[in-house]
Amino acid sequence: MVQDERYMQRCLDLATLGASTVSPNPMVGAVILHDGIIIGEGYTSPYGGSHAEVNAIQDAYQKLGKAEARNRFCKSTMYVSLEPCSHFGKTPPCADMLVELQFERVVIGCLDTFSKVNGEGFKKLQGGGIDAIVGVLEKACLFVNRRFFTRIQQQRPYVILKWAQTLDGLFSPEDAAQQWISNTASKQLVHKWRGEEDAILVGTSTALIDNPSLTTRLWNGKNPKRILIDKELAVPTDAAIFNEEAETIIFNAHQTDWQKNRKFIALEHFDLYLPQQLLYQLYLMDVQSLIVEGGAKTLQSFIDAGMWDEARVFVSQNCWGQGKLAPRLTARVDATEKVGDDELRFYFNRKV
């Protein structure tokens, strides 16, 4: 079991290398072990490409030659962090491939609850004579794909709340002017996060006051879709959020239209269950994860609706004495880490 956990951890490390490219597919890593030596490994290609198991097998072919690799597979263990698929999608079923190649053993991190898999891949492996087990580092494997599982089980994106506050719990100045709270390292980390998620959301006030572009300019990563809540279409057309660096989706009460990289979506009952409406619309657009960046009213609306999964809060060492209060979370802090002189607090919503 210790060996199985060791190589499953390697699968998880590989899986996260696909964090910014595989959505709406899950992040998966795979390792092929023969006589205590890794002869192939891989992770899921960008969406529409090969799955982790296929890439691990191709890696073995390149290292050993196809004939020699296939000779070794019958005495090899395939480790994979998520149950191999059992259906035809953009690629053939991985479970069928593993049976065909006659792997001796397959060790799976967790089952895939997607309706077209959901244990069927595991059954195919067992039915094909493979010694298959499931549940090695299961919690860690489920956590890595928390975005994927949230989307398929709850029909909405995985929601990450993010903000910065002062040591005395303030979010912004009283006069609504822009004033930076966290340090430069924290700002760069936020840009890294943006590249790992599908979309990022702000409200009208943030777009007007901060004029953010919501890109990954401080990190080498893809720009997320930009989501703007703008009921009355008050944000001017030359705002940074509308530049051509990424697509922008504008939820509003008046207009449905598509103009170049801008998609306007009018909601008939705009103020009724707004977070739920937005999340369902984004689910229909294959958005698997969403960062909510602000402002305080927007963040609080997701908290009050219970429509959040994770919160990342930077707490600076500054005290302002007066200003607007930060959003209110009743959840306990799950973990903390230092980012320069800022404290980064992680929260997880245990109620969802």
Side-chain angles (χ1 to χ4, degrees), residues 8 80-84 107-113 133-143 145 149:
M8 188 58 67
V80 60
S81 55
L82 184 68
E83 178 184 9
V107 178
I108 301 165
C110 64
L111 294 179
D112 183 349
T113 56
I133 66 169
V134 66
V136 175
L137 297 186
E138 183 176 32
K139 288 184 178 179
C141 291
L142 290 169
F143 184 76
N145 276 312
F149 289 121

Side-chain angles (χ1 to χ4, degrees), residues 165-279:
Q165 65 185 54
T166 63
L167 193 60
D168 52 349
L170 301 179
F171 182 85
S172 64
E174 287 285 3
D175 60 3
Q178 184 182 26
Q179 185 170 339
W180 201 257
I181 296 176
S182 55
N183 62 37
T184 302
S186 295
K187 185 175 182 180
Q188 187 177 40
L189 179 57
V190 168
H191 284 230
K192 176 180 181 292
W193 290 343
R194 289 176 180 177
E196 296 170 348
E197 310 304 337
D198 287 352
I200 182 170
L201 180 149
V202 296
T204 306
S205 295
T206 298
L208 291 172
I209 296 168
D210 296 347
N211 193 29
S213 61
L214 302 181
T215 61
T216 58
R217 60 195 178 277
L218 299 181
W219 193 263
N220 183 23
K222 68 172 180 63
N223 291 323
K225 293 180 187 290
R226 298 173 296 200
I227 315 300
L228 173 62
I229 301 175
D230 189 11
K231 181 179 180 180
E232 302 299 336
L233 298 175
V235 179
T237 57
D238 61 350
I241 198 171
F242 294 136
N243 67 33
E244 295 183 358
E245 295 181 77
E247 177 184 358
T248 303
I249 299 168
I250 307 99
F251 288 103
N252 66 92
H254 304 285
Q255 178 182 351
T256 297
D257 192 14
W258 196 330
Q259 302 172 3
K260 294 184 179 179
N261 67 321
R262 308 177 194 181
K263 183 182 291 185
F264 295 84
I265 299 177
L267 300 176
E268 185 175 358
H269 303 289
F270 189 90
D271 295 314
L272 186 63
Y273 301 112
L274 182 58
Q276 291 90 333
Q277 286 195 74
L278 300 182
L279 293 178

Side-chain angles (χ1 to χ4, degrees), residues 62-116:
Q62 290 178 8
K63 290 174 177 175
L64 302 172
K66 190 170 184 177
E68 178 60 24
R70 294 186 72 135
N71 283 338
R72 296 192 189 186
F73 289 161
C74 64
K75 294 294 183 183
S76 295
T77 297
M78 168 73 80
Y79 292 89
V80 60
S81 55
L82 184 68
E83 178 184 9
C85 61
S86 57
H87 66 291
F88 282 89
K90 291 184 179 294
T91 60
C94 290
D96 290 353
M97 175 187 63
L98 298 181
V99 171
E100 180 184 347
L101 293 174
Q102 298 181 318
F103 275 84
E104 180 178 35
R105 187 167 177 257
V106 175
V107 178
I108 301 165
C110 64
L111 294 179
D112 183 349
T113 56
F114 179 53
S115 59
K116 293 183 178 180

Side-chain angles (χ1 to χ4, degrees), residues 8-74:
M8 188 58 67
Q9 183 58 55
R10 176 60 182 165
C11 290
L12 290 170
D13 294 340
L14 289 165
T16 58
L17 296 177
S20 63
T21 61
V22 303
S23 178
N25 280 343
M27 295 181 284
V28 184
V31 170
I32 302 171
L33 190 72
H34 179 267
D35 282 347
I37 298 173
I38 293 176
I39 62 171
E41 60 182 21
Y43 59 95
T44 304
S45 297
Y47 180 62
S50 301
H51 290 185
E53 301 94 320
V54 174
N55 289 334
I57 288 166
Q58 290 299 323
D59 185 42
Y61 288 165
Q62 290 178 8
K63 290 174 177 175
L64 302 172
K66 190 170 184 177
E68 178 60 24
R70 294 186 72 135
N71 283 338
R72 296 192 189 186
F73 289 161
C74 64

